[in-house]
Amino acid sequence: MKKFIALVLAVALALPTSLRADEGMWIPLLIQKLNYAQMKKEGLKLSAKDLYDINHGSLKDAIVSFGGFCTGEIISSQGLLLTNHHCGYDAIQKHSTVEHNYLEDGFWAMERSQELPNPGLFANFLVRIEDVTAAVNASLNDQMSEADRTKAIQMKGAELAKAATEGTHYEASVETFYHGNEFYLFVYEKFNDVRLVGTPPSSVGKFGGDTDNWMWPRHTGDFSMFRVYAGKDGKPADFSAENVPLTPKHHLPVSTKGVKDGDFTMIFGYPGRTDRYLSSWGVQQAIDHYNPTVVKIRDQKLAVLRKYMESDPALNILMASNYASTANYWKYYIGQTEQLKNNKVYDKKRDLEKQFEAWIAASPERQAKYGESLKLMAEYYDATNPTVKNNVFLMEAVLRGPSSVLFAYRNVRSLERAYKDKAGFAKARPMIEELAKENFAEFHAGADRDMMLALWSMYMSDIPTAQQPKFLQSFGGSKAALEAFAQNAMATSIFMDAKRFAAFLENPDSATLANDPLTKVANDFRTTYFGGQDASLAAKKSKAYRLLTAGVREMDPNRTWSPDANSTMRMTYGHVGSYEPRDGVKYDYLTYLDGVMQKEDATNPEFVVPARLKELYKAKDFGPYADKTGRVPVGIISGNDITGGNSGSPLINAKGELIGVAFDGNWEAMSGDIFYETELQRTISCDIRYVLFIIDKYAGAGHLVKEMTLR
Ligand code: ARG
C-alpha cells in the first residue's frame, strides 16, 4: 500500500507542472517578457516572435476583432475567416427571409460571386501595440481630481493615437489597463468589406439552444465563415465588386490530428470585459441587486419576443438575433449569481482584502499610499446599493427595452439640428437615414408597445417613484395611463413608424419632435441616468479600484497579475482538460457526434437533428474527419481564460495550428469573470474536425477546405 502511494506520488510529480487551467488574458506585446518561459515549459513549440512580431507576419496577424463584438481568425491565403455561428448570427438573420431562410437551412457560397456583403461589419487587424504608460503618467499627478485625471488621460491618449497614425490609413487608440495604472496604444488596420461565405443551419450551429448554452458537455457546431476583401492595392476599401480577397500577412494552418487530455493550447482573441479586481462589496452588490434585476427584466423581454416569434415565421426570423443575445446574458446572470455563491467568491475576495489590510497596516508608507482604498470602496457601495436596481431598469427596461427608445435616444439630438443648425443637419442626414433603414428593417411596433407595457409596469411597481424617470412618474402608478401612453406612441411617434420618420426628415417641424412621446422618454432617460450619477461617487469608485489594483500587485509581486479584459487583443495559454464538476462526476475533454444523436429530440426545436446529418452518421460517412476511435469529435474543453468577445477565437495547439473554434464557458465557473476558478474553469470550443466535416461532408463545400492549409 505504502509503495503504491509512493508510486502515485512519483507519477503525480512527474506530470507537467499542472494540468490545471491557467488564469490570465495576457497582452501580446509582453509575451516574451512575462509568459514565454512558462509557455515553453508547458509545451509551446514556437518562438515568441512567431506569436507577436511587428516586422514579420506572426500569429497575431491572423486574428481579428470581428465587428467589435467577437473574434475571427484568417484560415486561408485568400482572406477566409472563421468565427462562431452566434457571431455571424445577426448577419445571417439579415440575409434570411421566409423563402430563403439561412438561419434554418444554412447557406454556402459555392463560388466567390455568391458571397454576401454585410454593410457595417468589419474586421480589425492589429498592427502593433506600444506601452505608453510612462508618457501618459507624465501628464498625471497625485494632486489631481479623478475627473481631471480622466480628462488628462483622454487628451494624452488622443494625442498619442494621432501621432501614431499620422500619414497612414491606420486607426489607433490608447486603452487603460489595471484600472488606471497602465496604458497601451493599439494601432489597427480596419477592413470594411467582409462577406458571408457559409453557415450551417441553426440545428447544427445553435444545437442545444439556450438549454445547453453556457454548459458542458456540449454538441454545438458553433461556427460560420466569412471572407475579408480589400481594394486591388491590398488596402481597406468599402464594398465594391472590384474588391479582391485579402492576402493576409499570416493565416492559421489547420491540424486535424486532434489533441489529448493535458496537451498545450492557447487562444488569441478580443475578450470584452472581466472584473477580476472586483471587491467583496462589489460581489455582494452583484448578487443582491444587479444580477437578479437583469434576469427579472429579461424574463419579461423574452416572453414578449416569444409571443410574437411563435405567431409568425417571418417574425420568428425578424426577432431571432435580439432574442438570442437577450437570452444569452439572461442565462449568464443566472449562472453568475449561482456560482458566485457556490464558489464562495465573496469569502475569497474578503480574504484577499484582509490580507491587503494587514499588509497596509504594516507600513506608514503603504498607509499613505493605499490606506484610503477600502474605505472608499465601502462608501461607494453603501451609497449605491439603494439605487443600483433603478440603474438596471434604466438600461435594461428603457434604453435597451423597446427598440424605439434606443432609436429615439440616438436621434433626438441630431434631429433637433434640423431647425437649429440646418447645415449640420444636411451633413448628418445620410447617416440618420442609414440608421433608420437598419432600425426599421428589424422593427415591429406591436412588440415594441407590448415591451413598454411589460417592462414599464414592472418598473413602476419595483422601483421607488422618486427614483423613476419623469415620464414614468407621470403615470402615477396607473397601468391604464401607461397603456394609453404606449398606444399613443405607437399611433403617433416618428420613432415607431418608418413613414412618419421619413416624413419628418423631409419636413422637419420642431413641434412634432418636441411633442413626440418618445422624445420625452429619451430625454428623461438622459436626465435621470446621467443627472442621477453623483460624480463624487464615480470618482470614489475609480480611485478605490486604481489603488486596490496597484496595491495588491505590489503586495504580491511574484504573482503575475493579468489585466482585466477591455476589448483589446489578448493571449491565454493552458491545457486540454477534463474536470470534475462535483463530487463523483468527471467530465471528459471531448464530445462526439454520437452525443448529438443521443440528445436528438424532434419535438424540441433546440434539439432537432437535420436529416442529412443523421444519414451521414448512420452510414459512418465521415471522410477523413473521424479520430482513431472512428468517431467525429464535436466539442473540446481546455483551461484557457476567455470571456464574451473571445467568441470565435481560435483554439491553437503547441505548433500554432488551428484545432478548434472557441465559443463558450462552462456553468460551474460562471463566476469566472469575477474570480477565476483554477480547478473548474474551462473554455468550450468546437473541434475543427467537426467544422471541416460539416463544411465538406454535410454541406458539400469541400472547395473551402481545399483553400485551407491542412496539416
Ligand atoms: N454563451 C456563448 C457566449 O456568450 C454564446 C453561445 C450561443 N449559443 C446559444 N445557444 N445562445 O459566447
Side-chain angles (χ1 to χ4, degrees):
M1 189 67 182
K2 258 203 179 128
K3 232 184 189 168
F4 177 65
I5 287 178
L7 186 72
V8 169
L9 260 180
V11 171
L13 291 174
L15 281 174
T17 24
S18 131
L19 293 182
R20 299 175 319 174
D22 285 69
E23 173 170 13
M25 299 174 174
W26 307 106
I27 305 171
L29 171 71
L30 304 182
I31 291 175
Q32 171 81 66
K33 192 168 118 195
L34 291 183
N35 316 111
Y36 187 67
Q38 185 63 25
M39 291 172 80
K40 192 89 199 175
K41 205 167 9 164
E42 296 192 18
L44 176 66
K45 298 277 187 287
L46 302 175
S47 73
K49 278 204 184 290
D50 292 335
L51 304 182
Y52 178 88
D53 190 356
I54 59 172
N55 300 314
H56 302 97
S58 59
L59 208 153
K60 73 118 167 92
D61 294 313
I63 315 299
V64 303
S65 164
F66 182 78
F69 54 88
C70 272
T71 302
E73 52 275 4
I74 306 296
I75 57 170
S76 88
S77 59
Q78 295 140 69
L80 191 60
L81 180 152
L82 177 65
T83 186
N84 287 150
H85 180 260
H86 79 264
C87 296
Y89 204 76
D90 197 52
I92 301 163
Q93 179 203 309
K94 288 195 168 98
H95 291 295
S96 295
T97 59
V98 174
E99 294 74 39
H100 299 281
N101 193 342
Y102 301 147
L103 283 176
E104 188 160 315
D105 305 325
F107 163 80
W108 296 93
M110 290 302 168
E111 48 184 89
R112 298 275 158 90
S113 63
Q114 294 169 351
E115 297 176 354
L116 300 170
N118 303 285
L121 189 61
F122 60 83
N124 223 357
F125 287 76
L126 175 66
V127 178
R128 66 190 161 88
I129 309 173
E130 219 176 287
D131 183 351
V132 294
T133 305
V136 174
N137 275 342
S139 67
L140 307 176
N141 63 60
D142 286 345
Q143 282 69 52
M144 274 177 153
S145 71
E146 286 302 307
D148 286 345
R149 171 179 276 272
T150 307
K151 230 182 275 154
I153 294 171
Q154 272 165 7
M155 277 173 59
K156 191 72 196 174
E159 181 193 318
L160 292 167
K162 188 159 173 258
T165 51
E166 206 90 83
T168 71
H169 62 281
Y170 295 155
E171 295 176 5
S173 65
V174 168
E175 305 295 338
T176 295
F177 286 67
Y178 296 104
H179 299 273
N181 288 293
E182 292 184 16
F183 306 92
Y184 292 83
L185 170 86
F186 293 81
V187 179
Y188 298 103
E189 187 175 32
K190 184 174 174 185
F191 287 82
N192 292 312
D193 185 356
V194 178
R195 302 184 197 172
L196 178 64
V197 172
T199 173
S202 293
S203 52
V204 170
K206 201 175 187 268
F207 182 75
D210 294 322
T211 303
D212 275 8
N213 192 14
W214 300 110
M215 286 179 169
W216 181 259
R218 194 66 157 275
H219 299 86
T220 314
D222 196 345
F223 79 95
S224 62
M225 304 184 84
F226 290 76
R227 190 184 305 280
V228 182
Y229 280 77
K232 287 214 168 82
D233 56 0
K235 296 220 174 94
D238 286 339
F239 172 81
S240 152
E242 305 292 296
N243 284 353
V244 296
L246 173 78
T247 306
K249 289 201 197 81
H250 182 71
H251 67 272
L252 297 179
V254 176
S255 168
T256 54
K257 293 203 194 88
V259 280
K260 331 181 278 306
D261 210 359
D263 278 358
F264 179 88
T265 52
M266 60 187 167
I267 290 175
F268 279 69
Y270 279 87
R273 202 192 122 107
T274 53
D275 253 317
R276 297 272 167 76
Y277 295 86
L278 193 70
S279 65
S280 59
W281 293 271
V283 171
Q284 205 57 51
Q285 187 171 83
I287 292 175
D288 292 343
H289 304 293
Y290 190 92
N291 295 6
T293 311
V294 175
V295 173
K296 192 174 175 193
I297 297 170
R298 289 193 176 211
D299 265 330
Q300 289 296 314
K301 268 191 207 174
L302 292 170
V304 171
L305 292 175
R306 247 187 331 259
K307 180 181 127 193
Y308 283 91
M309 290 172 79
E310 282 164 7
S311 76
D312 176 346
L315 295 183
N316 196 34
I317 297 173
L318 189 82
M319 298 174 184
S321 182
N322 186 7
Y323 188 91
S325 54
T326 304
N328 190 30
Y329 274 82
W330 161 79
K331 193 169 177 186
Y332 171 93
Y333 282 109
I334 294 174
Q336 186 184 74
T337 308
E338 190 176 316
Q339 304 311 347
L340 283 171
K341 293 179 188 165
N342 279 342
N343 293 323
K344 312 245 179 309
V345 172
Y346 177 87
D347 295 342
K348 291 174 183 167
K349 297 282 183 182
R350 236 4 252 148
D351 286 348
L352 179 71
E353 285 156 10
K354 280 187 193 143
Q355 202 190 328
F356 184 53
E357 277 162 355
W359 178 79
I360 292 176
S363 128
E365 208 176 292
R366 292 175 196 159
Q367 268 161 28
K369 211 162 150 194
Y370 302 117
E372 254 184 312
S373 61
L374 295 182
K375 188 180 120 288
L376 291 175
M377 203 69 87
E379 284 171 12
Y380 169 79
Y381 284 102
D382 283 348
T384 54
N385 277 336
T387 55
V388 171
K389 282 191 181 160
N390 187 45
N391 280 341
V392 177
F393 267 96
L394 281 169
M395 286 311 295
E396 290 275 328
V398 181
L399 192 64
R400 298 187 181 279
S403 64
S404 53
V405 173
L406 183 61
F407 182 59
Y409 178 78
R410 285 192 171 147
N411 282 292
V412 166
R413 295 221 161 148
S414 29
L415 294 184
E416 280 170 354
R417 290 160 79 182
Y419 39 87
K420 287 186 182 157
D421 161 21
K422 288 213 159 85
F425 178 71
K427 237 171 116 185
R429 192 166 161 180
M431 187 67 201
I432 298 172
E433 280 173 344
E434 193 51 47
L435 266 177
K437 200 174 132 202
E438 223 173 90
N439 174 72
F440 287 113
E442 278 178 29
F443 183 69
H444 188 273
D448 236 46
R449 174 206 50 204
D450 287 8
M451 205 66 94
M452 291 177 191
L453 295 177
L455 304 187
W456 296 351
S457 64
M458 189 163 61
Y459 195 164
M460 284 196 289
S461 56
D462 280 21
I463 301 296
T465 315
Q467 293 183 17
Q468 295 171 13
K470 280 224 175 66
F471 81 89
L472 200 66
Q473 288 175 342
S474 76
F475 304 145
S478 153
K479 279 202 184 160
L482 165 59
E483 208 164 327
F485 176 91
Q487 208 58 46
N488 178 48
M490 180 163 150
T492 66
S493 173
I494 62 169
F495 302 107
M496 290 186 76
D497 181 77
K499 284 208 191 87
R500 287 197 292 263
F501 192 78
F504 178 86
L505 291 184
E506 230 15 77
N507 210 342
D509 160 56
S510 63
T512 304
L513 184 61
N515 297 329
D516 194 289
L518 293 186
T519 298
K520 185 166 171 45
V521 173
N523 287 339
D524 288 353
F525 165 83
R526 205 186 306 267
T527 317
T528 316
Y529 191 76
F530 295 104
Q533 311 289 1
D534 179 343
S536 74
L537 279 178
K540 260 183 197 163
K541 184 188 189 190
S542 66
K543 187 164 188 188
Y545 277 104
R546 176 158 47 81
L547 294 177
L548 174 68
T549 306
V552 294
R553 289 177 78 201
E554 190 180 321
M555 172 174 82
D556 193 353
N558 291 328
R559 169 171 167 190
T560 317
W561 298 79
S562 148
D564 269 321
N566 61 359
S567 295
T568 61
M569 190 194 281
R570 303 296 178 86
M571 182 279 304
T572 149
Y573 64 94
H575 307 86
V576 174
S578 50
Y579 72 105
E580 292 177 17
R582 55 193 173 273
D583 186 40
V585 181
K586 188 170 171 180
Y587 281 163
D588 212 346
Y589 68 96
L590 262 190
T591 59
Y592 287 98
L593 191 53
D594 308 66
V596 175
M597 304 305 152
Q598 288 162 10
K599 282 180 177 172
E600 181 190 11
D601 179 356
T603 67
N604 179 350
E606 292 186 321
F607 292 95
V608 168
V609 177
R612 164 123 190 97
L613 191 55
K614 287 194 276 190
E615 283 163 26
L616 291 168
Y617 178 73
K618 238 172 140 179
K620 290 195 188 311
D621 188 0
F622 300 148
Y625 306 113
D627 72 2
K628 297 195 285 292
T629 70
R631 299 174 296 168
V632 179
V634 171
I636 176 166
I637 45 171
S638 56
N640 291 102
D641 189 1
I642 69 163
T643 190
N646 264 119
S647 283
S649 295
L651 182 69
I652 304 169
N653 67 13
K655 295 187 205 154
E657 298 158 344
L658 181 71
I659 55 172
V661 53
F663 69 95
D664 211 357
N666 60 331
W667 189 249
E668 297 78 13
M670 289 293 285
S671 46
D673 284 347
I674 294 177
F675 191 97
Y676 190 85
E677 291 299 331
T678 300
E679 300 296 334
L680 284 175
Q681 195 152 335
R682 294 294 180 272
T683 286
I684 304 176
S685 302
C686 179
D687 194 296
I688 201 65
R689 291 166 290 188
Y690 192 49
V691 172
L692 299 180
F693 167 75
I694 293 291
I695 296 174
D696 187 356
K697 301 299 295 186
Y698 178 87
H703 61 285
L704 295 171
V705 177
K706 289 213 181 78
E707 213 187 298
M708 303 173 199
T709 307
L710 254 46
R711 294 219 182 121

